[in-house]
Amino acid sequence: MPTDSGLTALRRIRPYRGAFTPEAAEQLGDTVDFHTLVEAVETLSHALDNLGY
C-alpha cells in the first residue's frame, strides 16, 4: 500500500497531477517505493532540462 509520504511526493511533481496520483499508485502496485520513484523522475527531468528537452 502506498504511504502518505509517497503520495505526497508524487503530488509535488506537478500540482495538477494530484488527481492522477491514486491511479498511478494503483497501476504501479504496492511494491513500489514512491519516494525513490519520485527522486528518479526528478533526476531524469533535470537531466532532460540540462540537455534542452
Side-chain angles (χ1 to χ4, degrees):
M1 191 74 198
T3 64
D4 288 338
S5 62
L7 292 173
T8 299
L10 277 178
R11 287 185 190 105
R12 284 194 323 244
I13 294 173
R14 294 281 186 255
Y16 66 88
R17 293 187 183 163
F20 168 77
T21 303
E23 289 83 5
E26 182 178 328
Q27 291 297 312
L28 293 168
D30 60 358
T31 60
V32 173
D33 177 355
F34 282 96
H35 180 72
T36 301
L37 176 64
V38 170
E39 285 180 343
V41 170
E42 288 175 344
T43 300
L44 176 60
S45 178
H46 291 298
L48 292 173
D49 285 345
N50 290 335
L51 292 171
Y53 291 100

